[in-house]
């Protein structure tokens, strides 16, 4: 079934060596993974203990103590393991592998007789297993464990964790399903659905795919499982959730996408990460089962997001409360969540849709998320993180105990709810999955080049070894060369031409190509000989983007973008009061390549105006007409913000018009 | 001591009969007070029971049941009583007085042996009396009870409630104070401080004033009483507050103005109502004790508010979480609290400062609050209320379970925390207190006219009866005539000339006056004879107000004001998409008096532009340059908004500049 759609190449076949991305891929292996390992083991002294492995050790009976931390804390270990697997795929590391194996053994020892794994429900409330799907995160944690197991197996070939996770998955398959004695519920936080598809992918056990599909379709069925569960005698809120829905009557089913069956949901609703993980599974199942209606539903939800509910930085979740979707065009800049994990979910969803539809426009959005929001999620030292990704920050307004308390002007060492750091780690260590998509169906062999990240990749197509050497300084320029080393084989090379590319040209073996663009990919079908290749060239120039006037927060505002990167203005370059910056859409945007800043950064300089008070300092005045002063502005990529002295930051600035005297 | 400062005239001496304000003063007596009485008695069938008097009945031992509602619910009864007293001051109402007397008797029966009154701590946690000053609201409720007692005594001469409240106050005087065996704390929610001053005012018992002063000065002393209290073994959060400060470590002393001693606080911090009630008491004590340092501190805090932390509508509390002050110039329009009660507190504080300083600029702000935010707090039918007063509303964005869930596009029947409805009732039924201030010191007799509200008022000055008959259609026009009926006596008539008055003229007995303006009051000193009087005339024209560019949400925006009224644009007149409205500061603002709308409303018409998308519906676009379309706009007073079909509303619109092609 799957062969109809594009698939990824194994990460171990892709060797990234890219000026732009080495800063992150090498950072994850060298800094983030060891730092996070220290956090999970409570060895980072200037940060409160995470209790993550501590809990597993108690569950394994190796130490005694009180289980601590959020009920979904186990998932941090799983996501770390998944990231570790991906790091091992690109470069062997005996110490890392030893740590991972030790952790896997620990998880194995913490597994219950019947296969169940969850330190919270094993240690704290064993009698309430599966009794709070709404908030309990058991299936969410299971999902991340399964993903880690699949990843670790795929990279190392080791089966210990896969067996552990499969035993757990088998238990879940017994507990949940349509049978009379089974529970007819689904997870409050989707994640296991896409994980079960991955487990199916390596095991080919159809029960996993069937359960994933069951979870997808039972969600939102009537009567609502979550509401019924909360109404049962003895239902108790999870410790972390008494703040969210204080009483069952306050519960909002859309928060967990259960307000309607997913097949009739036309807008992206509720908690953004939950939504996007769910949509990923929907896309997977649509592909594997050739379910056109479900695919159409995915496209409908995707379009609602990218057209009406997504920030220019590729982030989602407008509400400062519950990190959730709100309404069309509601995109406040300074009070939003725009959770890093939600952008990761968006990229995962877009990647799936690109593979099903062979449409490059989905990759445009993946790229937006990865180059801007996900990149902003981690410091250039690898050990500081953003959970929330605002587009406008006035540091003094990010006050504790106010409606902007969730917005931080500087990256944090860790979080009470620490989903993002390990999620960033697993995303950037598996960045290779985004670069290529391959079609190996019987009647068509295609290699899609999605992202322009220098790499050396080997794979087999038509039974022939092919090596691709992609070399570029993208996004500094739009020059990409792909050298093909092969004994000679025919396939279509499909190169994404980004929506922002200007005057693109493609040479094949030095001659103008005669392919054509289909859904954003320039497709060249030929027999490739060793030493051949293509040279892609397109202009990447800074330009102005206009906000839709329906976006209240941005009406009359413009932003500067360049290629996949959204730019922002920081206090370090531009002083304070950035909300008062006005920029003409005709302003000359001058590029400056600064090789010393953050390992090489393309800055953009321009002249603008700043609206300043003409006298009084009061917050409003009938007599004080503010006036414009000239200002020279410097913008830098949003993904690089907050790596210098903390200060103001802004993406959207006012469109400069001529003052009426 | 007090005679040095201006004071109010008894409400029973002031008879208001004003085209603009009758809509509210008569509404309170005819509709709001009976409606609220129904609510307090759980007789309003389409609203959940309040349990307010139900709790008192349990405490009085008359019914059995479980005490319900917030721990500060008793204060609703007290505020209703206070409002009832003010209503009785202007017009006798046997049924109302009977209800009030019955309630007073009920409260008396609910009073403990030792004088203590609080249904929560009496019925639910008797062992925790005075053990949670941080959140418990015992002293807050006591304060409102004392205010009600003073008001009821002043109006009716009846002493039952005054005796009840005094007994309670005496208990509090024993429990709190600097003595070794006393508690050295103060209320988490200030209110009793100003109430104790009022009690001192009628009883002349200095212990009440002393305790008020003690409460003021012990606040923020080191070590912090609240932090110590929360750290004590057995401390438990109040049911309503586990959402606010989840753990003692999360407690923010500035929330209750206890981060520093009040005498060294230079900015208005924390919960806005708490802050303003505290500042009122500080002003009272500064006046009564001739404490210049404390007065200066009040002025400093006032200036911080009105210059940097107040909305143009006279509201405060920028944070959507905890209804609190945030930072200078942080004034978001669509996610703020701007609680109705906070504007009431601001008016009470301003009135006090105007009386101490004889400076009319304080009244400008009182007027702003009363004419705009407090007026907006109640519907023109008297039974629907706003707790939150945004300056920009897109109804679909006021979603439950999001960061704008507190913002409502329509007034509500009641609230779980229902401080505002009864506060509006007591404010508008005591509106007379704002109209005049009188100086009867030995060497100076002055009558200050603060607000222009048609009324007939009798009082004695220099031992002579004086009757003032103020007639005006203000704010429709700035024509005010004051007829003076007296046997002949010398005093200074000081008429406030509002900051927005244009070309004012004053005639005395038909001849141009020869007085002068001192701190915003035009002062005419003469011997007034019966039949004499003055005619004040100034222009009230609509004009544009500019936002300070430091206010991020308003940079580049303007608003329309006319006299004391801020104007807004509603969907009912202007369609949707109001955030995209641009208005030239030079736009012709045309007045239209509509006698049929809300009992007479001055509308303002003007031409503006609306920025509209030129094509795509996506939230941002590099190709779609939005363009301007002409739009004819109609603005109405903010205080009258949301009295028609629910829809969008906006105060601040973009300043129209000329588009650069």
């Amino acid at each position: 079934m799957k062969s109809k759609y594009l698939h990824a190449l194994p990460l171990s076949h892709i060797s990234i060596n890219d000026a732009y991305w080495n800063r992150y891929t090498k950072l994850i292996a060298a800094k983030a993974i060891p730092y996070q390992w220290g956090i999970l083991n409570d060895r980072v002294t200037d940060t409160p203990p995470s209790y993550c492995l501590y809990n597993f050790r108690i569950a394994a009976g190796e130490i005694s103590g009180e289980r601590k931390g959020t009920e979904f804390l186990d998932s941090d270990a799983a996501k770390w393991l998944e990231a570790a697997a991906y790091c091992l795929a690109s470069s062997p590391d005996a110490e890392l592998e030893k740590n991972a194996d030790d952790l896997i053994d620990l998880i194995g020892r913490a597994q219950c007789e019947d296969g169940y794994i969850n330190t919270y429900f094993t240690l704290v409330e064993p009698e309430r297993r599966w009794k709070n799907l709404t908030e309990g995160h058991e299936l969410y944690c299971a999902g991340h464990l399964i993903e880690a197991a699949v990843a670790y197996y795929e990279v190392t070939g080791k089966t210990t964790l896969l067996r552990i996770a499969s035993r757990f998955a088998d238990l879940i398959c017994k507990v949940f399903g349509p049978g009379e004695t089974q529970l007819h519920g689904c997870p409050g936080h989707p994640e296991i659905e896409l994980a079960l598809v991955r487990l199916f992918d390596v095991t080919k056990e159809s029960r996993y795919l069937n359960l994933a599909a069951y979870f997808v379709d039972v969600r939102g069925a009537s009567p609502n499982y979550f509401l019924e569960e909360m109404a049962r005698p003895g239902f108790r809120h999870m410790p972390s959730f008494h703040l969210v829905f204080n009483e069952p009557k306050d519960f909002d089913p859309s928060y967990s996408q259960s307000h309607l069956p997913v097949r009739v949901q036309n807008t992206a609703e509720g908690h953004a990460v939950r939504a996007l993980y769910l949509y990923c599974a929907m896309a997977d199942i649509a592909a594997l089962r050739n379910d056109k209606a479900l695919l159409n539903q995915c496209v409908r939800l995707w379009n609602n997001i990218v057209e009406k509910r997504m920030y220019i930085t590729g982030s989602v979740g407008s509400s400062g409360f519950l990190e959730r979707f709100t309404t069309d065009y509601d995109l406040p800049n300074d009070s939003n969540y725009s959770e890093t994990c939600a952008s990761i979910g968006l990229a995962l969803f877009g990647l799936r849709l690109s593979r099903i539809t062979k449409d490059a426009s989905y990759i445009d959005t993946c790229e937006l998320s990865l180059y801007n929001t996900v990149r902003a999620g981690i410091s250039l030292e690898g050990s500081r993180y953003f959970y929330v990704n605002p587009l406008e920050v006035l540091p003094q307004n990010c006050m504790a105990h106010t409606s902007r308390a969730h917005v931080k002007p500087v990256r944090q060492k860790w979080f009470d709810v620490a989903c993002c750091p390990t999620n960033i780690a697993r995303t950037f260590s598996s960045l290779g999955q985004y670069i290529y998509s391959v079609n190996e169906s019987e009647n068509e062999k295609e290699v899609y080049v999605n992202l322009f990240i220098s790499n050396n990749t080997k794979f087999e197509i038509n039974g022939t070894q092919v090596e691709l050497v992609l070399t570029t300084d993208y996004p500094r320029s739009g020059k990409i060369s792909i050298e093909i080393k092969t004994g000679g084989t025919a396939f279509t090379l499909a190169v994404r031409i980004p929506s922002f590319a200007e005057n693109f040209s493609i040479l094949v073996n030095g001659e103008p190509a005669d392919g054509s663009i289909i859904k954003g990919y320039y497709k060249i079908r030929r027999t490739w000989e060793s030493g051949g290749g293509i040279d892609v060239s397109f202009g990447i120039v800074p330009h102005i983007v206009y906000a839709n006037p329906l976006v209240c927060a941005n009406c009359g505002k413009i932003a500067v973008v360049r290629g996949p990167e959204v730019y922002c203005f920081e206090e370090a370059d531009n002083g304070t009061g950035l909300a008062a910056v006005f920029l003409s859409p005709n302003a000359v945007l001058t590029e400056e390549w600064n090789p010393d800043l953050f390992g090489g950064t393309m800055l953009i300089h321009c002249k603008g105006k700043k609206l300043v008070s003409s006298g009084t300092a009061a917050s409003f005045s009938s007599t004080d007409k503010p006036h414009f002063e000239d200002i020279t502005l410097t913008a830098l990529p949003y993904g690089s913000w907050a790596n210098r002295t903390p200060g103001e930051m802004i993406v959207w600035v006012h469109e400069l018009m001529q003052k009426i005297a």
Side-chain angles (χ1 to χ4, degrees), chain A:
Chain A
M1 287 188 289
K2 197 183 176 187
S3 60
K4 183 176 169 193
Y5 299 110
L6 308 183
H7 62 86
L9 292 172
L11 284 179
S12 53
H13 294 201
I14 304 169
S15 176
I16 292 175
N17 189 9
D18 182 83
Y20 185 92
W21 280 108
N22 282 353
R23 297 179 299 175
Y24 295 91
T25 52
K26 295 196 187 308
L27 186 73
I28 297 301
K31 294 285 180 62
I33 287 286
Y35 176 79
Q36 295 178 4
W37 180 246
I39 291 274
L40 299 183
N41 282 283
D42 303 336
R43 289 180 199 146
V44 178
T45 51
D46 61 351
T47 307
S50 76
Y51 299 110
C52 186
L53 300 199
Y54 169 85
N55 292 337
F56 277 106
R57 288 188 191 104
I58 300 172
E62 290 161 18
I63 59 172
S64 60
E66 187 193 344
R67 194 266 180 204
K68 290 177 185 167
T70 61
E71 61 275 10
F72 41 84
L73 182 56
D74 292 359
S75 61
D76 291 352
K79 273 160 37 187
W80 181 87
L81 263 180
E82 190 185 343
Y86 300 143
C87 288
L88 294 173
S90 48
S91 51
D93 180 331
E95 188 189 339
L96 176 59
E97 191 161 343
K98 169 82 169 56
N99 287 339
D101 287 337
D102 287 349
L103 174 54
I104 288 167
D105 290 342
L106 174 60
I107 293 171
R109 294 194 300 276
Q111 186 165 31
C112 299
E113 283 281 303
D114 61 356
Y116 185 84
I117 306 174
N118 186 295
T119 66
Y120 181 83
F121 284 96
T122 302
L123 297 172
V124 184
E125 301 200 89
E127 74 288 359
R128 306 221 303 135
R129 213 196 250 191
W130 312 128
K131 288 192 175 150
N132 187 343
L133 300 188
T134 312
E135 304 164 350
H137 285 79
E138 288 158 291
L139 293 168
Y140 169 84
C141 291
H144 277 304
L145 189 72
I146 293 167
E147 284 209 85
V150 171
Y152 204 72
Y153 165 73
E154 286 182 329
V155 169
T156 66
K158 294 181 182 175
T159 57
T160 308
L161 188 56
L162 190 66
R163 282 204 310 271
I164 290 169
S166 298
R167 273 186 67 209
F168 192 12
D170 290 341
L171 173 68
I172 294 167
C173 285
K174 278 184 208 138
V175 172
F176 292 90
E180 256 189 46
T181 60
Q182 290 177 300
L183 295 179
H184 303 162
C186 61
H189 195 316
E191 152 62 27
I192 195 171
E193 298 88 340
L194 72 87
L196 286 169
V197 174
R198 291 186 72 175
L199 188 59
F200 163 76
D201 210 33
V202 294
T203 64
K204 303 302 174 201
E205 296 285 356
S206 58
R207 63 180 176 280
Y208 301 135
L209 178 61
N210 291 342
L211 183 59
Y214 177 78
F215 279 149
V216 162
D217 275 320
V218 82
R219 182 174 299 274
S222 190
N224 187 292
Y225 185 89
F226 300 125
L227 289 173
E228 297 221 314
E229 181 185 71
M230 294 175 98
R232 268 178 217 137
F235 175 87
R236 288 203 308 278
H237 285 283
M238 298 304 301
S240 306
F241 275 77
H242 70 285
L243 297 180
V244 177
F245 298 114
N246 196 24
E247 294 184 50
K249 75 173 170 55
D250 294 333
F251 180 71
D252 175 2
S254 75
Y255 175 69
S256 52
Q257 297 76 43
S258 62
H259 52 300
L260 287 171
V262 296
R263 288 172 188 267
V264 292
Q265 294 182 22
N266 295 327
T267 52
E269 300 294 344
H271 187 276
V273 179
R274 295 174 188 229
L276 285 156
Y277 285 5
L278 170 66
Y279 305 159
C280 284
M282 287 163 62
D284 286 337
I285 291 162
L288 287 166
R289 298 191 152 182
N290 198 20
D291 186 336
K292 290 236 171 71
L294 193 56
L295 175 61
N296 286 342
Q297 194 58 21
C298 290
V299 171
R300 187 172 293 124
L301 291 164
W302 173 271
N303 288 343
N304 175 245
I305 293 171
V306 299
E307 291 173 6
K308 298 178 180 171
R309 299 186 177 202
M310 184 182 76
Y311 287 89
I312 190 173
T313 50
S315 72
V316 290
S318 306
S319 175
F321 179 61
L322 297 184
E323 46 208 24
R324 61 180 285 172
F325 288 104
T326 56
T327 59
D328 290 345
Y329 305 114
D330 178 32
L331 297 166
N333 295 306
D334 64 345
S335 60
N336 49 317
Y337 242 92
S338 292
E339 186 184 342
T340 309
C341 290
S343 283
I344 290 171
L346 186 64
L348 289 170
F349 183 33
L351 182 60
R352 282 161 168 78
L353 290 180
S354 77
R355 290 196 170 134
I356 302 173
T357 63
K358 301 181 184 176
D359 184 335
S361 72
Y362 295 105
I363 299 293
D364 285 351
T365 299
C366 295
E367 195 179 47
L368 208 57
S369 291
L370 294 169
Y371 279 69
N372 296 286
T373 301
V374 187
R375 194 161 78 76
I378 184 168
S379 72
L380 286 162
E381 289 81 35
S383 55
R384 297 291 182 272
Y385 307 94
F386 277 138
Y387 187 118
V388 173
N389 293 283
L391 283 78
E392 181 172 346
V393 170
L394 203 61
Q396 65 266 36
N397 286 354
C398 305
M399 282 179 78
H401 310 301
T402 70
S403 50
R404 288 203 209 84
H406 61 292
V407 181
K408 306 293 180 196
V410 293
R411 290 181 187 81
Q412 308 290 299
K413 290 175 185 169
W414 206 248
F415 306 90
D416 290 340
V417 175
C419 47
C420 299
T422 51
N423 219 354
I424 296 168
R426 72 177 184 134
T427 300
F428 284 160
S429 58
S430 64
L431 192 63
Q433 70 174 314
Y434 288 91
I435 303 179
Y436 298 108
S437 297
V438 176
N439 179 4
E440 288 183 283
S441 62
E442 267 179 39
N443 47 5
E444 209 173 8
K445 308 293 175 193
E446 299 172 300
V447 176
Y448 286 79
V449 182
N450 294 318
L451 294 190
F452 308 116
I453 298 173
S454 299
N455 73 88
N456 188 315
T457 292
K458 290 175 187 153
F459 58 97
E460 195 174 282
I461 203 161
N462 296 322
T464 309
Q465 275 292 329
V466 177
E467 183 176 352
L468 297 184
V469 182
L470 191 157
T471 310
T472 185
D473 64 354
Y474 183 89
R476 183 177 173 185
S477 86
K479 291 192 197 308
I480 302 114
S481 83
I482 303 173
E483 187 187 351
I484 299 176
K485 300 180 183 174
T486 172
T489 186
F491 61 87
T492 298
L493 192 64
V495 181
R496 169 173 158 259
I497 306 299
S499 58
F500 52 78
E502 302 213 347
N503 307 316
F504 81 94
S505 71
I506 299 193
L507 304 179
V508 179
N509 301 338
E511 302 293 324
D514 61 351
S516 62
I517 290 189
I518 300 169
K519 291 198 276 189
Y521 289 104
Y522 191 94
K523 295 194 173 179
I524 307 161
R525 175 161 179 78
R526 59 180 292 145
T527 299
W528 300 94
E529 305 292 344
S530 204
I534 65 169
D535 293 284
V536 181
S537 176
F538 50 79
I540 299 185
V541 293
H543 64 278
I544 293 295
V545 169
Y546 295 84
N548 187 320
L550 294 175
V551 178
C552 295
N554 289 345
C555 180
K557 289 185 181 169
I558 59 178
V560 176
V561 300
R562 183 184 176 281
E565 293 190 315
V566 176
Y567 274 65
C568 67
F569 300 92
E570 282 200 293
E571 183 179 328
D573 301 306
N574 305 289
T576 58
L578 298 180
V581 166
F582 284 66
L583 184 64
S584 165
N586 301 331
V588 177
L589 304 173
T590 309
E591 298 180 342
E592 179 211 351
W593 176 251
N594 184 332
D596 301 320
L597 186 65
F598 313 141
T601 298
M602 186 67 83
L603 299 174
I604 297 174
H605 304 289
C606 51
K607 290 186 191 308
K609 302 277 186 186
K610 194 169 161 189
L611 195 64
V612 296
S613 169
S614 298
T616 169
S619 62
F620 54 88
S621 165
S622 57
T623 53
D624 177 24
K625 291 190 189 186
H627 65 277
F628 279 131
E629 288 182 356
D630 290 332
I631 182 169
T632 301
L633 296 162
T634 297
L636 86 165
Y638 176 83
S640 300
W641 90 277
N643 277 296
R644 295 177 294 174
T645 314
E648 293 184 25
M649 183 277 291
I650 196 164
V651 171
W652 290 101
V653 296
H654 298 278
E655 178 181 347
L656 179 65
M657 307 179 198
Q658 206 172 317
K659 265 290 228 189
I660 293 170

